[in-house]
Amino acid sequence: MVSLKELKKGLLTSLWFVFLTFPIIVIKVDPIQRTVIWRWQNALYMALGTFGIYLLVKYYQHRKENQPSRPKNTEQTESFLHGILQKPLQRKILVGVVATIAVLFPHFFSTYQTNVMTTALMYVVLGLGLNIVVGLAGLLDLGFVAFYAVGAYTYALLNLHFGLGFWTVLPIGGLIAAMFGVLLGFPVLRLRGDYLAIVTLGFGEIIRLILENWGKFSKGPSGISNISRPGFLGMEFSLEQSILYTYYLMILFVIITIFVVNRLQDSRLGRAWIALREDEIACQAMGIDKRKTKLVAFSLGAFWAGIVGVMFAAKTTFINPASFTFLESAIILSIVVLGGMGSIIGVVFGALILILMPEYLRALSEYRMLAFGGILVCMMIFRPQGLISNIRRTYRFEKKPQ
Amino acid sequence: MKQSILQVTGLTMDFGGIRALNSLDLDVKSGEIVALIGPNGAGKTTFFNCITGIYTPTAGDIFLTPPDSSKKISLKGLKPNQVTEKGLARTFQNIRLFAKMTVLENVMIGRHCRTKAFVFGAIFRTAATRKEEKSIIETSYAILEKLGLAEFANEFADNLPYGAQRRLEIARALATEPLLLLLDEPAAGMNPQETIALDKLIKKISLDGQAILLIEHDMQLVMSLSDRIFVMDYGKKIAQGTPAEIRENPVVIKAYLGEEVDA
Ligand SMILES: Nc1ncnc2c1ncn2[C@@H]1O[C@H](COP(=O)(O)OP(=O)(O)O)[C@@H](O)[C@H]1O
Ligand SMILES: [Mg+2]
């Protein structure tokens, strides 16, 4: 089954890993005792472990390739979850369970964990927004964080200068972000793939640099503080209540976003986006206005980012440009890719996993990010289509027209 | 005397130093099947690309006349989607389906330019949107039935057998309700049975009064289908006429010598 050549390659791979991880797993410097401990046994474990994983991956690939090809229409691996979602009763139960967990969560977990969950929910909405642009319309946008920043600064500045409240600015923030989406959309209409990625990446950086350097306007790197938390009919909240309130607000936003994105995806416009992703020329030849369709995708995606931006500013009460680096865009993009491009449930799971996992991996202390990276790599090897791939809607025709 | 639907005059297209189309004249009358033939590289696909707005021609005029009016619409300078809206729909020589959409959805995309629901309608799913959506599905399904693709309605387009993919391209173009249907080598790569089926299918579509402009290499198919034939070589029109005239035309025979055999 495994050829000698593959064994040799596996051996080389494990040696390479030992070499790469040598400084952290073998050498241990004790600065107080001024001694260096060489833990050679770790190198051995690493070598054996890597070799084992290598063989496992090879075996898996081997099996996958030699599988008798399945009937064509089930080519898209339908997961367990899809099965549940397609049956109305089971779907209702699942939705009920999820809803109960969501409602009860803050009562069983600490304020800290509720706060982390709120952050994760914010990334769910961000992911769903970017999913319109990347997953549906197929426009690789690496500067998505810019719209998030626009939303956050819209609220921070309007709150600072005019004392406008959260609920007033929420739609304004969304609309201004959407406007920026169109603004970015125009120059990149003709670009595709890598070129589009580079320009949007640049756009994201430009916004951040402006915020950092235009001190008079944005207060520069020191940021804006004392932003009002979300209010509710003028009630005063304690910090804890406010966290609870923000959590439930985010739940509400997530529900609204899922609802809207689902409807968009399942409409004439959503089909046009997917067609645009599949083949631009054929799409135009079928009478779809490429410019309009792309611009709408950009602006609707940006709209959600703007909304979450306002929410973010209100939740943390302090923002500065450091929150809006390229890393944020990368994380949001990872959420979409990891979850499954174009799949709403996928993106929800992707966001929860990507944002919550580092928190709950804290038990692994310094190996946290290593484990995180490892999990991501494994994901992409075993499920390149994402956690939960999108399934296209099917239509039934019992009655024949005519 | 039938009215012209498409009138192209003096169409010229230069790519750098190469003149791919050289002052080409062509017209299609309502209800006709017209074939455009010529050796590989003659410029046939380029001609389609020019009249559908994918390329901007260097010179020449393109006019479309809807059968119920006498007003000519100039297609020159319009974008591809606008051309489709005016009433030209095409298929592609190298199949360009939306691979990861279902067969039915592919056809539904063709309905796009005849419908109008947008962001608001999509989110609030108004009565008008629902009605429109229903009509999109029904019209699309009816087209699939007509082209014998109904059994595949919920399959991904790239899972279809080759011949069915070619038919789906036609179905998708028909969904745009074209005044003139442009087919770019619809029989390319088909086996003889599939070609015979295609011949029947095109005749069936034509029976509804659909005007068709067809690029094709399969001479048997061309002769069987066309009312008139235009022959081009090196970007120029070298002959035009009925199938019988073209068969006898010495210029055509010369241009085609040895080419016809492998078609
Ligand atoms: N985009 C383009 N750029 C440069 N040359 C082109 C382009 N498209 C077509 N051509 C040239 O135009 C000529 C005609 O090509 P084409 O229209 O595809 O021929 P046909 O469809 O008749 O086989 C060829 O010589 C081809 O190289
Ligand atoms: Mg060609």
Side-chain angles (χ1 to χ4, degrees):
Chain A
M1 186 200 91
V2 187
S3 66
L4 199 66
K5 205 173 128 207
E6 285 194 338
L7 278 178
K8 224 160 99 187
K9 215 170 140 202
L11 210 65
L12 277 176
T13 311
S14 49
L15 278 179
W16 178 238
F17 259 83
V18 170
F19 175 71
L20 278 181
T21 52
F22 188 81
I24 45 169
I25 62 164
V26 177
I27 306 174
K28 183 170 185 179
V29 181
D30 190 332
I32 300 165
Q33 299 279 324
R34 291 173 172 278
T35 52
V36 178
I37 307 163
W38 301 84
R39 298 169 296 177
W40 291 107
Q41 74 279 17
N42 280 0
L44 188 67
Y45 297 151
M46 178 55 83
L48 287 176
T50 320
F51 192 63
I53 291 175
Y54 180 84
L55 288 186
L56 213 69
V57 170
K58 277 287 159 208
Y59 172 70
Y60 184 85
Q61 277 179 352
H62 184 80
R63 224 183 50 180
K64 204 158 120 188
E65 274 159 25
N66 292 6
Q67 242 168 16
S69 58
R70 274 176 273 167
K72 274 178 173 174
N73 53 352
T74 55
E75 175 234 23
Q76 189 110 8
T77 40
E78 298 218 353
S79 67
F80 169 67
L81 204 65
H82 285 146
I84 291 185
L85 283 172
Q86 249 134 38
K87 297 189 191 90
L89 180 70
Q90 293 188 10
R91 184 161 75 190
K92 269 183 199 145
I93 294 174
L94 185 76
V95 169
V97 170
V98 172
T100 319
I101 295 175
V103 170
L104 294 182
F105 187 86
H107 301 285
F108 286 99
F109 290 90
S110 67
T111 319
Y112 170 74
Q113 272 164 333
T114 308
N115 219 352
V116 171
M117 196 54 164
T118 310
T119 307
L121 293 175
M122 285 170 43
Y123 279 90
V124 170
V125 178
L126 284 172
L128 288 172
L130 185 62
N131 186 40
I132 294 177
V133 184
V134 179
L136 295 180
L139 305 163
L140 185 51
D141 183 351
L142 290 183
F144 196 62
V145 73
F147 309 121
Y148 184 35
V150 167
Y153 269 88
T154 304
Y155 180 44
L157 290 171
L158 288 179
N159 188 257
L160 179 73
H161 296 302
F162 304 101
L164 293 185
F166 173 78
W167 289 106
T168 324
V169 183
L170 192 65
I172 302 178
L175 290 179
I176 293 189
M179 215 178 67
F180 270 80
V182 176
L183 224 62
L184 164 69
F186 264 111
V188 301
L189 275 174
R190 295 166 159 274
L191 303 180
R192 247 184 284 181
D194 320 357
Y195 301 99
L196 177 68
I198 292 168
V199 176
T200 51
L201 175 72
F203 180 76
E205 283 301 288
I206 287 170
I207 295 280
R208 189 179 62 81
L209 288 173
I210 289 176
L211 291 175
E212 211 150 79
N213 294 302
W214 192 4
K216 270 194 198 128
F217 172 71
S218 67
K219 303 212 161 198
S222 55
I224 301 171
S225 50
N226 282 329
I227 305 166
S228 315
R229 289 178 187 280
F232 181 68
L233 301 172
M235 280 201 288
E236 286 289 315
F237 286 129
S238 71
L239 182 61
E240 227 160 86
Q241 280 171 325
S242 183
I243 286 173
L244 206 63
Y245 178 54
T246 318
Y247 170 80
Y248 284 119
L249 265 187
M250 247 359 268
I251 294 267
L252 183 72
F253 284 4
V254 167
I255 294 171
I256 295 175
T257 313
I258 291 179
F259 176 80
V260 171
V261 173
N262 186 39
R263 286 214 156 168
L264 282 174
Q265 184 173 326
D266 222 3
S267 70
R268 170 175 176 271
L269 183 60
R271 280 194 301 274
W273 284 334
I274 298 171
L276 201 65
R277 176 186 79 191
E278 294 290 310
D279 190 326
E280 241 176 61
I281 300 221
C283 198
Q284 283 178 284
M286 284 304 115
I288 289 173
D289 189 339
K290 182 176 95 174
R291 290 163 57 103
K292 196 163 138 191
T293 313
K294 276 191 182 183
L295 286 179
V296 171
F298 271 122
S299 63
L300 279 178
F303 176 81
W304 296 113
I307 294 278
V308 183
V310 174
M311 192 71 197
F312 174 72
K315 173 177 170 273
T316 54
T317 70
F318 166 76
I319 54 166
N320 71 350
S323 308
F324 307 105
T325 56
F326 169 67
L327 185 67
E328 283 308 296
S329 293
I331 289 177
I332 305 169
L333 187 67
S334 311
I335 287 172
V336 176
V337 175
L338 179 94
M341 300 245 260
S343 152
I344 292 179
I345 317 174
V347 171
V348 173
F349 271 85
L352 293 181
I353 289 175
L354 264 179
I355 305 303
L356 296 182
M357 199 161 57
E359 286 304 322
Y360 293 104
L361 282 177
R362 275 185 199 282
L364 299 176
S365 58
E366 68 252 52
Y367 298 107
R368 184 163 76 116
M369 287 326 269
L370 195 68
F372 183 61
I375 291 169
L376 281 191
V377 170
C378 287
M379 267 293 312
M380 287 297 107
I381 292 175
F382 293 113
R383 282 195 75 85
Q385 74 274 43
L387 274 179
I388 300 165
S389 56
N390 189 23
I391 43 168
R392 295 302 305 147
R393 183 169 161 209
T394 52
Y395 303 83
R396 300 262 159 259
F397 296 94
E398 278 89 23
K399 48 132 195 132
K400 284 209 163 184
Q402 290 147 33
Chain B
M1 174 67 198
K2 279 180 183 164
Q3 192 194 358
S4 276
I5 289 190
L6 179 75
Q7 271 178 304
V8 179
T9 48
L11 197 69
T12 303
M13 179 79 213
D14 291 337
F15 292 112
I18 302 167
R19 179 151 287 192
L21 292 178
N22 194 344
S23 193
L24 205 78
D25 299 333
L26 185 148
D27 70 300
V28 182
K29 297 190 178 67
S30 78
E32 254 189 335
I33 301 181
V34 174
L36 179 60
I37 63 172
N40 273 324
K44 305 178 298 292
T45 300
T46 305
F47 176 77
F48 270 19
N49 286 338
C50 284
I51 60 174
T52 54
I54 291 177
Y55 296 157
T56 313
T58 313
D61 288 310
I62 310 151
F63 290 106
L64 193 69
T65 321
D68 49 0
S69 85
S70 55
K71 226 175 74 190
K72 287 181 178 178
I73 305 169
S74 173
L75 298 182
K76 210 179 159 189
L78 294 187
K79 293 208 201 67
N81 58 298
Q82 292 168 321
V83 173
T84 308
E85 230 173 275
K86 298 280 182 234
L88 283 193
R90 67 173 292 180
T91 67
F92 292 90
Q93 181 177 347
N94 20 5
I95 299 174
R96 304 190 80 134
L97 292 169
F98 307 118
K100 288 289 169 236
M101 297 176 87
T102 64
V103 168
L104 183 70
E105 282 175 320
N106 266 274
V107 182
M108 285 164 80
I109 288 293
R111 297 299 301 156
H112 194 94
C113 60
R114 302 287 170 238
T115 46
K116 46 181 187 297
F118 211 53
V119 179
F120 182 85
I123 294 175
F124 295 98
R125 226 170 253 182
T126 56
T129 309
R130 280 195 309 256
K131 200 173 141 211
E132 186 183 275
E133 193 72 10
K134 190 160 166 264
S135 87
I136 292 176
I137 295 172
E138 279 170 6
T139 320
S140 306
Y141 192 73
I143 293 173
L144 284 184
E145 278 188 323
K146 186 169 155 194
L147 271 72
L149 291 166
E151 51 171 324
F152 303 119
N154 285 322
E155 299 256 2
F156 278 111
D158 63 347
N159 284 345
L160 290 195
Y162 186 80
Q165 292 197 9
R166 287 245 173 245
R167 267 182 291 148
L168 180 54
E169 279 242 339
I170 300 176
R172 194 176 61 172
L174 278 178
T176 67
E177 292 172 21
L179 297 173
L180 175 63
L181 179 65
L182 308 170
L183 304 175
D184 196 346
E185 301 201 19
M190 282 190 172
N191 63 35
Q193 288 98 314
E194 285 174 325
T195 309
I196 292 169
L198 181 75
D199 179 276
K200 276 195 193 131
L201 180 69
I202 294 178
K203 278 179 181 147
K204 187 169 150 193
I205 295 169
S206 165
L207 272 183
D208 299 341
Q210 176 71 60
I212 298 170
L213 176 58
L214 167 84
I215 295 176
E216 189 44 69
H217 274 304
D218 187 321
M219 276 311 167
Q220 221 174 338
L221 191 67
V222 169
M223 294 300 169
S224 143
L225 287 173
S226 336
D227 297 311
R228 285 187 302 142
I229 299 175
F230 287 80
V231 190
M232 54 187 292
D233 198 7
Y234 296 111
K236 269 191 185 148
K237 181 164 80 185
I238 56 171
Q240 87 179 72
T242 62
E245 288 164 6
I246 293 298
R247 218 191 301 258
E248 308 298 320
N249 191 317
V251 185
V252 178
I253 294 169
K254 188 168 165 248
Y256 258 89
L257 215 59
E259 289 254 347
E260 198 181 334
V261 189
D262 64 275

